Amino acid sequence: MRTLVALTLPIALLAVARGGDAQLPEAKLVPLKPGEPAVVDLVGLDKDVLAALRAAKLSPAEWAKYCRVVVDRGTPEEVAARPPVAGTWSVTADALRFEPQFPLVPGVSYKITCRLHDIPQMKPRPDGFSISLLVPKPPPGPPTSVTAVYPSGNRLPENTLRLYFHFSGQMTRGDIYQHVKLIRDDGVEVVSPFLEIDEELWSVDGLRVTFLFHPGRVKQGLVPREELGPILEAGRRYSLVIGRDWKDAADRPLAAEVRKTFSAGPPDDEPVNPDTWTLIPPRAGSDAPVIIRLAKPLDRALLGSMLWVTDSTGARVPGEVTVGGGERVVTFAPAKPWRAGEYKLVVDTRLEDVCGNRVGEPFEVDATKLAGRKVEAKTAERRFGVR
Amino acid sequence: MRSKLFAAAVVLVATTAARADDGLTKGTPDIKSVSALAFGPKGLLFIGDPQSATIFAVDTGDAKPAGDKAVSVERIDAKLAGVLGTTEKEIRVNDLKVNPASGNVYLAVTRGTGAGQPAIVRLTRTDAVEVVSLKEVPYAKVKLPNPAEGKGAATVVTSMAFLPEGVQVGNGRLIVAGLSNEQFASTLRAINYPFKDADKGTGIEIFHGAHGKIETHAPIRTFVAYKVGKDDTLMAAYTCTPLVKVPVADLKAGEKVKGTTIAELGNRNNPLDMIVYTKDGKDYLLVANSDRGVMKIPTDGFAAAEPITERPKTPTAGVKYETVSELKGVTQLDKLDDARAVLLVKTDAGLDLKTIPLP
């Protein structure tokens, strides 16, 4: 009789576990630490099962044998062949926990399979389970749009080198060059106008991308230009078109196509020369900016970092640089009102115009004059007095 | 018991001291993005991070030979997506390097759309796909002084190579080719390793010919270190594919260096990756290109090659090459061992990883 009880008891327990099949564990995404991926807690498992799992002290390799999270997409064969999502398994007070190495992706469905019955240390053997988890997608924000295109002027030298596109949100990457077209005034699309750099030149915040016109197509006599023709020709008009088909990071097309129309002017091979700038100094006691009118538009991004103001002691004056007027006007507003005295506007000589000409050095240099020249962080200065 | 404890303590001290020597400290490197990889000795992995304009050196602990089985994974992008918990279209492979210490293949991956997250994934010689943990690992880092230093300025590291130097194993120079998103000039740097704060290396500008006398300081797309004669040399390839040799001895901080163009490999083309290898006693460069396939270039003519200083009359000029016609869609390559190369191949379906005998 006793033996019979001993025999039936496990069966009864098993039955409970089977009955529990109707209440499969529930997968919950739990954010634990800011900056770390949310963990998946499988709650609703029997306390005894959790205790036995904890006692089993499985190694990472053993966990990988019995429990896995897989991206649940495609045919069953594809799902079966897919390697499991990288992460670590553990047991908490009330859940079986999966800590993914990378955050699970909203909109992606995952299959969580635990073959608990195959774990030899588990006695009695509980049932395994396989459940699905779909990470909900947050409601989409407003669609992403192009917020600026630089140079912003409507007349560009035909040897223009660099363009910046600014976006209101993150964009998809990988095939960016196919979404931007340059169309001449006769409707002909300019073939491959951009230097296609597979690394793609994004800003740190991911909201700005740099495009370069192919420099080999700018000068007469270069092979790329002879094979493919020039990009911009002085006297003609062009439309730069950023297509709606360039999708944002949420896989949505841009809010609107952007079309920048401009005319091409003669090439600019002149180095940047701060001596030709006009400075309008502010009055002492005011917090009005010093206004700098440039002789030609300069690079939008570099203007933000390669100009600053020092006082008579040489100390940098705290304040803010603003660029406007088609990148021909720069203002520097001090953090505190100006004190009367002598100041200097300091220019890093690596400041470039839109064609890549630097302060004192054109974009293209005569190679015979290179010998002995150094790459130096030099500066140029313009003095101004505040009265 | 006591002596055992003592022994354990001694071992601990010894390991800490070893760490101090190689300049690595244990921690979690704050890697924000990854564009290029290079290996130093004993499984030391260099990671180029454009977003933080930093080079990280991480001890992978992967220094034992992992076997000599060929690696071959169809749709490696799908496998990478699987382990990284996402879908194929959210996977970008930025670089591929073989760890010479183990023979395992390392991939620099961006996961997700937009800026995404960086991941280093290892493909073992048994075709297992593993995410390399970057938590609590021995590492060091050096910041690349950004020429622009603007808020949005980033230095995309396009290519790196480690050149051992000196008698101490592990010492050397890391050559880093970068591309600024705000300046056109190539930012080539030679950084001493172990990294020292004071010695960050200054940018070197390399000029090359082929456009007549007028030259631009164009960015290097990819390069490989190679001994031409007795001289350590960088063989560098640029957009529109001039092949340029630059003596390593010339790479001094702050210098403007003039490279010698020895070949024009053709227009409408971007060089993507290159390796150097020896076959039947002869050395070759193998160059993967965006539009002109994979080129095999014998190096025996490099030392005596006539510099190209004028615009050539033909689309290609200088040292001769052959196109390896059976290789198509190759975007990355590295030497798997002395006889084989591993390739990342773009197909209509996705990305395949395969091993080939060196051609």
Side-chain angles (χ1 to χ4, degrees):
Chain A
M1 189 65 187
R2 257 190 178 179
T3 40
L4 197 68
V5 169
L7 272 174
T8 50
L9 199 60
I11 293 165
L13 275 177
L14 205 64
V16 172
R18 284 240 167 87
D21 267 4
Q23 317 153 351
L24 287 167
E26 193 190 340
K28 283 189 172 164
L29 267 183
V30 184
L32 280 188
K33 285 179 231 160
E36 299 256 326
V39 302
V40 180
D41 271 354
L42 299 168
V43 295
L45 284 166
D46 197 286
K47 286 250 180 260
D48 296 339
V49 172
L50 287 176
L53 268 174
R54 209 174 293 122
K57 291 199 166 69
L58 300 181
S59 68
E62 286 173 309
W63 275 117
K65 249 160 84 184
Y66 306 117
C67 291
R68 50 196 272 142
V69 178
V70 185
V71 175
D72 195 6
R73 223 169 137 260
T75 63
E77 293 76 33
E78 281 171 335
V79 175
R82 195 163 283 146
V85 178
T88 47
W89 290 90
S90 60
V91 186
T92 69
D94 50 10
L96 175 55
R97 174 170 289 175
F98 178 69
E99 231 168 299
Q101 218 161 321
F102 291 87
L104 299 186
V105 181
V108 173
S109 177
Y110 298 90
K111 189 178 197 173
I112 305 169
T113 309
C114 279
R115 299 200 337 267
L116 301 180
H117 49 281
D118 284 348
I119 303 175
Q121 295 97 315
M122 299 285 281
K123 282 179 190 136
R125 300 277 168 99
D127 273 6
F129 60 86
S130 187
I131 57 172
S132 287
L133 170 66
L134 176 69
V135 182
K137 259 189 174 173
T144 306
S145 56
V146 177
T147 54
V149 175
Y150 295 107
S152 63
N154 58 7
R155 192 172 162 81
L156 304 183
E158 66 173 17
N159 59 336
T160 296
L161 178 66
R162 196 182 294 112
L163 302 166
Y164 296 108
F165 306 144
H166 291 245
F167 298 94
S168 63
Q170 299 286 320
M171 298 294 292
T172 51
R173 301 183 184 189
D175 59 357
I176 60 174
Y177 296 102
Q178 71 186 52
H179 304 298
V180 184
K181 295 187 173 21
L182 183 68
I183 297 162
R184 210 165 57 183
D185 47 17
D186 57 1
V188 173
E189 188 183 331
V190 179
V191 181
S192 313
F194 305 111
L195 193 59
E196 298 191 4
I197 294 163
D198 34 309
E199 289 89 352
E200 302 179 359
L201 298 174
W202 290 92
S203 61
V204 169
D205 61 8
L207 299 179
R208 185 194 76 195
V209 68
T210 308
F211 271 49
L212 297 164
F213 278 127
H214 201 310
R217 303 248 312 266
V218 169
K219 281 274 169 197
Q220 298 279 356
L222 299 188
V223 180
R225 180 170 167 130
E226 282 180 12
E227 280 185 358
L228 292 167
I231 301 169
L232 303 179
E233 289 169 282
R236 302 204 74 141
R237 290 184 70 74
Y238 296 85
S239 291
L240 182 78
V241 182
I242 306 175
R244 278 201 77 200
D245 56 344
W246 191 345
K247 290 187 172 164
D248 68 7
D251 209 29
R252 299 169 302 178
L254 279 172
E257 173 189 281
V258 169
R259 194 171 270 264
K260 175 190 170 69
T261 303
F262 62 92
S263 62
D268 178 1
D269 301 317
E270 287 298 314
V272 175
N273 183 359
D275 291 341
T276 58
W277 300 350
T278 310
L279 263 67
I280 306 167
R283 287 194 172 278
S286 84
D287 58 2
V290 51
I291 298 166
I292 305 130
R293 289 190 188 284
L294 309 171
K296 60 178 172 180
L298 298 182
D299 184 275
R300 175 67 178 79
L302 296 177
L303 279 172
S305 61
M306 295 205 163
L307 289 181
W308 61 94
V309 171
T310 59
D311 63 19
S312 57
T313 69
R316 217 158 155 153
V317 179
E320 202 175 330
V321 170
T322 316
V323 181
E327 299 85 70
R328 291 182 70 135
V329 179
V330 179
T331 63
F332 173 82
K336 284 189 256 173
W338 295 98
R339 295 159 92 173
E342 297 302 316
Y343 292 86
K344 279 179 193 165
L345 171 74
V346 187
V347 184
D348 188 315
T349 56
R350 292 169 300 184
L351 176 62
E352 294 178 6
D353 64 17
V354 297
C355 306
N357 302 303
R358 296 181 185 180
V359 177
E361 183 179 304
F363 176 61
E364 296 189 311
V365 296
D366 188 333
T368 56
K369 293 178 184 160
L370 268 180
R373 286 175 62 175
K374 297 269 184 187
V375 187
E376 283 168 319
K378 284 191 294 192
T379 55
E381 293 169 355
R382 282 290 305 271
R383 289 161 191 278
F384 65 96
V386 174
R387 313 267 176 257
Chain B
M1 187 65 197
R2 222 182 210 189
S3 60
K4 248 190 198 167
L5 263 179
F6 179 70
V10 168
V11 169
L12 232 142
V13 169
T15 23
T16 321
R19 282 279 158 251
D21 276 345
D22 63 15
L24 304 180
T25 47
K26 206 161 186 187
T28 300
D30 183 21
I31 300 171
K32 295 198 163 68
S33 61
V34 53
S35 62
L37 302 176
F39 273 99
K42 296 186 208 164
L44 183 74
L45 176 64
F46 295 102
I47 299 169
D49 174 358
Q51 265 197 50
S52 61
T54 301
I55 307 290
F56 292 89
V58 175
D59 182 358
T60 59
D62 176 26
K64 285 200 190 87
D68 57 3
K69 196 178 153 288
V71 285
S72 172
V73 182
E74 251 179 57
R75 293 301 313 275
I76 182 81
D77 52 334
K79 299 265 193 238
L80 293 170
V83 290
L84 297 171
T86 187
T87 53
E88 292 93 294
K89 67 176 181 144
E90 307 230 330
I91 291 295
R92 297 195 301 277
V93 179
N94 307 318
D95 204 0
L96 170 153
K97 283 277 157 28
V98 175
N99 177 359
S102 66
N104 289 327
V105 181
Y106 282 66
L107 298 155
V109 181
T110 302
R111 172 199 192 262
T113 48
Q117 298 125 348
I120 308 291
V121 181
R122 172 169 52 218
L123 176 71
T124 71
R125 294 302 279 271
T126 51
D127 288 348
V129 181
E130 303 170 346
V131 178
V132 177
S133 171
L134 296 170
K135 272 188 183 164
E136 290 301 310
V137 287
Y139 81 101
K141 64 177 180 179
V142 65
K143 185 123 178 117
L144 296 173
N146 197 303
E149 280 158 15
K151 266 192 300 198
T155 300
V156 178
V157 177
T158 54
S159 197
M160 293 195 289
F162 181 76
L163 304 179
E165 275 173 11
V167 282
Q168 180 93 21
V169 176
N171 285 13
R173 282 205 291 176
L174 185 71
I175 312 288
V176 180
L179 198 59
S180 163
N181 61 347
E182 296 184 353
Q183 296 199 307
F184 187 64
S186 174
T187 56
L188 193 83
R189 290 198 162 76
I191 303 166
N192 287 322
Y193 185 83
F195 298 143
K196 289 181 195 76
D197 252 0
D199 184 19
K200 288 172 178 166
T202 310
I204 299 158
E205 290 184 357
I206 297 191
F207 292 72
H208 63 84
H211 294 171
K213 266 190 200 163
I214 302 299
E215 309 194 5
T216 53
H217 33 91
I220 289 176
R221 302 296 297 127
T222 181
F223 72 90
V224 71
Y226 177 66
K227 246 187 193 7
V228 176
K230 282 183 189 155
D231 303 323
D232 278 323
T233 305
L234 298 187
M235 299 307 308
Y238 292 73
T239 293
C240 290
T241 352
L243 183 66
V244 175
K245 62 176 184 183
V246 183
V248 170
D250 285 2
L251 302 180
K252 291 186 192 117
E255 294 286 337
K256 293 205 181 200
V257 178
K258 200 170 171 325
T260 308
T261 304
I262 61 163
E264 286 289 340
L265 304 177
N267 242 308
R268 301 183 82 159
N269 186 33
N270 265 323
L272 301 175
D273 204 355
M274 60 207 266
I275 55 169
V276 62
Y277 67 96
T278 308
K279 188 175 181 177
D280 302 328
K282 277 183 82 173
D283 289 356
Y284 299 92
L285 276 189
L286 199 62
V287 185
N289 292 288
S290 63
D291 296 272
R292 288 178 178 260
V294 176
M295 296 169 179
K296 177 185 173 182
I297 313 171
T299 66
D300 48 9
F302 282 10
E306 280 290 312
I308 299 172
T309 53
E310 293 299 321
R311 184 174 70 77
K313 295 197 168 42
T314 47
T316 64
V319 295
K320 296 279 169 274
Y321 66 88
E322 61 176 279
T323 304
V324 186
S325 56
E326 62 270 29
L327 298 180
K328 304 233 185 288
V330 178
T331 62
Q332 298 281 343
L333 74 169
D334 201 5
K335 255 172 77 171
L336 190 63
D337 52 35
D338 287 341
R340 294 176 294 181
V342 58
L343 312 175
L344 191 68
V345 181
K346 200 172 183 174
T347 67
D348 289 341
L351 291 171
D352 292 347
L353 199 130
K354 52 172 101 161
T355 299
I356 55 151
L358 284 163

